Amino acid sequence: MRTAFFSTHRFDRDSFQTNEHDISFFEASLDDSTSSLATGFPAVCAFVNDRLNTAVLHKLKAGGTQYIVLRSAGFNHVDLESATQLGLKVARVPAYSPNSVAEHTVGLMLCLNRKLHRAYARTREHNFLLDGLLGFDFCGRTVGLVGAGKIGGLVQKIMQAFGCRVLVSDPALPDSLELAELLSQSDIVSLHCPLTPATHHLIGRAQLAVMKPGAMLINTGRGGLIDSRAVLAALKSGQLGALGLDVYEEEESHFFRDLSDKPLQDDILARLLTFPNVLITAHQGFFTQEALANIARTTLENLSSFERKGEAPGPNRLPYHGASALSSSSE
Ligand code: NAI
């Protein structure tokens, strides 16, 4: 099927090599100003920072698009109610490699704790001092996981193997703690729940205040789980000891592109990047060979199924009726 791929990078071209479908790769992200690129394509393939709002969906429909395949599990960037009303069929990749994100999460924890990012820069300058690089043993520490589904559950196992006590706040689990209790006891807090209206700014000023002074906060979930301004204030006051982010509230304006020769327009992101105890990666948790292969395989299966049967395979099918623009599962 002729498919317009948006927000594509070299790695997409590499992993989506197929004779079965006629793919056009566009580097542009999908939004109101670029949707006309999809005119005449029966299928559109989108990634996490594409914006499939009502206006864009109307334009896609008017241009002849019938099917939308997401190279992601999360669908918080798609207005599913409008898609349903317009008769656009949407499919996703429900799970491709929770290990990829779990391992990246633990990588951020280790790097921040032992200051590997600083040590790397320092030794390359032939500075072999240890001042400022003091960490702590993970063994015996308490890790609080907000969300313990596929990814959080794997982080739990890894941290238990380090000898950590792991606390969990997840309404789906019987041993779930209240968020405030988890925050007050944890040396490291890591977020693995979906972004929904209920979890938007789950970590704000009040929650940061009840965290252990000097604790570490990790977010590889979704940027909107954290109130970035509140986090910035907590870093400035020293209440927050370290911050590791793979996602950021306003990431669609920055992540997945090289802005190195331009002034950074986002003052909060720019300020966060000045702290030595902040480590930001640009949404690379999913970026492993295994995850890319799984994303490509399932996305192509979705396209083939749309082409042959007019429907995606059951588990990959969207919408969930009544889901709002913010509701999501995993990415
Ligand atoms: P999952 O659906 O397996 O697990 C999510 C868990 O969060 C569920 O157990 C659910 O009960 C729980 N939850 C829901 N609301 C909650 C709340 N208010 N407080 C605490 N827990 C709550 O999802 P999965 O696959 O583990 O993904 C988790 C997150 O990881 C998602 O937010 C997703 O966007 C993110 N992700 C990030 C990637 C990256 O590259 N950085 C890649 C893939 C996913």
Side-chain angles (χ1 to χ4, degrees), residues 105-215:
T105 302
V106 177
L108 288 175
M109 290 177 190
L110 282 165
C111 190
L112 276 167
N113 176 33
R114 305 305 292 267
K115 284 90 175 164
L116 301 182
H117 53 305
R118 300 185 71 188
Y120 173 78
R122 202 179 275 193
T123 54
R124 290 177 72 90
E125 297 275 318
H126 305 173
N127 175 352
F128 302 108
L129 283 174
L130 297 182
D131 297 351
L133 303 185
L134 189 64
F136 55 83
D137 284 10
F138 277 181
C139 185
R141 295 285 179 151
T142 300
V143 176
L145 302 177
V146 183
K150 291 184 283 297
I151 294 169
L154 286 167
V155 174
Q156 179 172 15
K157 279 190 193 152
I158 298 171
M159 298 319 291
Q160 281 168 339
F162 273 110
C164 295
R165 179 170 78 115
V166 178
L167 306 177
V168 167
S169 175
D170 186 325
L173 299 177
D175 53 351
S176 173
L177 285 187
E178 287 298 320
L179 179 61
E181 198 180 337
L182 175 143
L183 294 175
S184 69
Q185 292 188 39
S186 301
D187 300 292
I188 302 173
V189 173
S190 192
L191 308 182
H192 302 288
C193 59
L195 177 62
T196 67
T199 61
H200 184 248
H201 284 189
L202 186 77
I203 303 294
R205 204 154 44 129
Q207 292 72 28
L208 289 157
V210 298
M211 283 176 71
K212 275 187 167 181

Side-chain angles (χ1 to χ4, degrees), residues 16-62:
F16 279 93
Q17 290 185 3
T18 175
N19 296 324
E20 225 184 304
H21 298 284
D22 179 5
I23 295 176
S24 294
F25 293 100
F26 298 116
E27 286 178 20
S29 51
L30 176 58
D31 60 26
D32 213 24
S33 65
T34 58
S35 54
S36 59
L37 289 170
T39 302
F41 285 87
V44 159
C45 183
F47 197 44
V48 288
N49 289 329
D50 289 319
R51 289 281 147 254
L52 292 112
N53 56 26
T54 310
V56 170
L57 293 173
H58 271 94
K59 285 189 179 173
L60 293 181
K61 177 76 181 178

Side-chain angles (χ1 to χ4, degrees), residues 167-295:
L167 306 177
V168 167
S169 175
D170 186 325
L173 299 177
D175 53 351
S176 173
L177 285 187
E178 287 298 320
L179 179 61
E181 198 180 337
L182 175 143
L183 294 175
S184 69
Q185 292 188 39
S186 301
D187 300 292
I188 302 173
V189 173
S190 192
L191 308 182
H192 302 288
C193 59
L195 177 62
T196 67
T199 61
H200 184 248
H201 284 189
L202 186 77
I203 303 294
R205 204 154 44 129
Q207 292 72 28
L208 289 157
V210 298
M211 283 176 71
K212 275 187 167 181
M216 180 190 295
L217 176 63
I218 304 285
N219 186 11
T220 60
R222 284 286 194 192
L225 296 174
I226 286 182
D227 178 347
S228 310
R229 281 179 193 279
V231 157
L232 183 54
L235 283 163
K236 282 165 86 172
S237 72
Q239 165 64 9
L240 191 59
L243 175 70
L245 299 180
D246 188 49
V247 287
Y248 175 63
E249 281 191 272
E250 308 294 335
E251 70 177 52
E252 56 267 31
S253 315
H254 305 92
F255 286 10
F256 305 125
R257 59 189 84 173
D258 180 3
L259 301 175
S260 54
D261 60 350
K262 298 185 176 68
L264 195 52
Q265 297 300 325
D266 185 316
D267 290 349
I268 295 180
L269 181 58
R271 181 70 175 97
L272 286 173
L273 287 166
T274 66
F275 291 90
N277 52 347
V278 171
L279 183 55
I280 298 179
T281 53
H283 208 138
Q284 68 176 80
F286 74 99
F287 199 51
T288 64
Q289 295 164 2
E290 291 79 2
L292 289 187
N294 290 336
I295 289 170

Side-chain angles (χ1 to χ4, degrees), residues 15 71 93 95-101 284-298:
S15 54
R71 304 196 295 285
V93 186
Y96 43 83
S97 174
N99 297 294
S100 65
V101 188
Q284 68 176 80
F286 74 99
F287 199 51
T288 64
Q289 295 164 2
E290 291 79 2
L292 289 187
N294 290 336
I295 289 170
R297 197 186 58 245
T298 305

